[in-house]
Amino acid sequence: MELKLLNGKDQVAGKVEAPDTIFGREYNEALIHQIVVAFQANARTADRQQKSRETVAHTTKKPWRQKGTGRARAGMSSSPLWRGGGRAFPNSPDENFSHKVNKKMYRAGVCSILSQLAREDRLTVIDELALEAPKTKMLAQKLKAFGFDSVLVITDNFDENLYLASRNLPNVLVVEPHQADPVSLVYFKDVLITKAALGKIEEMLA
């Protein structure tokens, strides 16, 4: 698989070879959906709690006698059928939302996403992306010259200037290779990878 290569002057410098084992996979929609849902579920926290009929404040007195009133039987006002009663299946703060995904499945899903991005010409490699100063306007002009309006930038190492300049751009995210998650790869319209970061991704997913 050949990926488009840009130089520092906003020009296409040619093509860069990428292994088909990572960037030439078939599109597996079911697997991609599974790892994206699992990633979002694993990010959830159980920060809500509801009361059951055991924990809700109520009296244990029987509301009315068992027979002779013509109404249905009622034992306590804590019943889930009553207003102010407890929930039948309450949410608990120790609820576990996590999904288990095997490493092999996760890597295969990420490779399938990268392969589809490459086929749709949404994956671009650049020699190096650096800024002289942490200026948002400077980064916005550079990305506009590349033709990107929504882009995930993957760099080999943490660049403070690049990170600070991207924080106020709503459709730009700068991450390192190990931080490139499936949700970000699917969400952004384009992906821009530095040449050094491409090598790290190949090592991670090999």
Side-chain angles (χ1 to χ4, degrees):
M1 174 66 69
E2 291 184 344
L3 304 176
K4 183 171 63 175
L5 177 64
L6 299 177
N7 56 21
K9 299 180 180 179
D10 310 342
Q11 297 175 349
V12 178
K15 300 285 186 178
V16 60
E17 285 291 336
D20 291 338
T21 55
I22 298 176
F23 297 93
R25 296 281 190 96
E26 294 183 358
Y27 180 65
N28 192 336
E29 183 177 359
L31 180 59
I32 293 175
H33 178 268
Q34 184 176 353
I35 66 171
V36 168
V37 170
F39 188 88
Q40 292 176 324
N42 294 340
R44 292 184 63 180
T45 56
D47 55 356
R48 56 186 183 174
Q49 183 178 12
Q50 295 171 324
K51 292 185 177 181
S52 65
R53 64 180 304 170
E54 181 182 0
T55 57
V56 72
H58 67 94
T59 177
T60 57
K61 181 182 178 182
K62 192 174 178 63
W64 51 76
R65 58 195 177 96
Q66 182 83 347
K67 296 179 179 294
T69 63
R71 288 180 290 186
R73 294 173 294 183
M76 292 184 184
S77 60
S78 63
S79 170
L81 304 179
W82 281 49
R83 179 173 182 175
R87 292 292 299 267
F89 301 101
N91 293 313
S92 173
D94 57 353
E95 190 171 358
N96 184 11
F97 297 105
S98 63
H99 292 192
K100 183 180 183 298
V101 177
N102 297 331
K103 291 181 180 180
K104 189 175 181 180
M105 293 174 58
Y106 182 83
R107 291 174 182 172
V110 173
C111 290
S112 182
I113 296 174
L114 294 174
S115 301
Q116 187 64 18
L117 291 173
R119 278 190 293 269
E120 295 178 356
D121 200 23
R122 295 166 52 196
L123 184 63
T124 308
V125 182
I126 187 170
D127 285 330
E128 186 181 3
L129 184 63
L131 297 177
E132 299 175 357
K135 299 293 184 180
T136 302
K137 184 176 181 180
M138 188 182 301
L139 178 60
Q141 291 175 347
K142 185 179 286 291
L143 294 177
K144 185 177 180 181
F146 289 144
F148 298 136
D149 55 353
S150 173
V151 59
L152 174 67
V153 180
I154 305 177
T155 60
D156 55 326
N157 290 316
F158 176 76
D159 187 337
E160 186 174 3
N161 289 345
L162 195 60
Y163 170 73
L164 294 176
S166 65
R167 288 193 303 177
N168 284 338
L169 295 175
N171 295 323
V172 178
L173 179 63
V174 178
V175 297
E176 295 180 58
H178 66 276
Q179 297 173 327
D181 58 88
V183 176
S184 298
L185 290 172
V186 172
Y187 174 77
F188 289 93
K189 183 179 178 181
D190 295 288
V191 177
L192 182 64
I193 309 177
T194 62
K195 204 169 183 179
L198 181 64
K200 291 187 176 182
I201 289 178
E202 293 175 2
E203 292 178 4
M204 290 169 48
L205 301 177

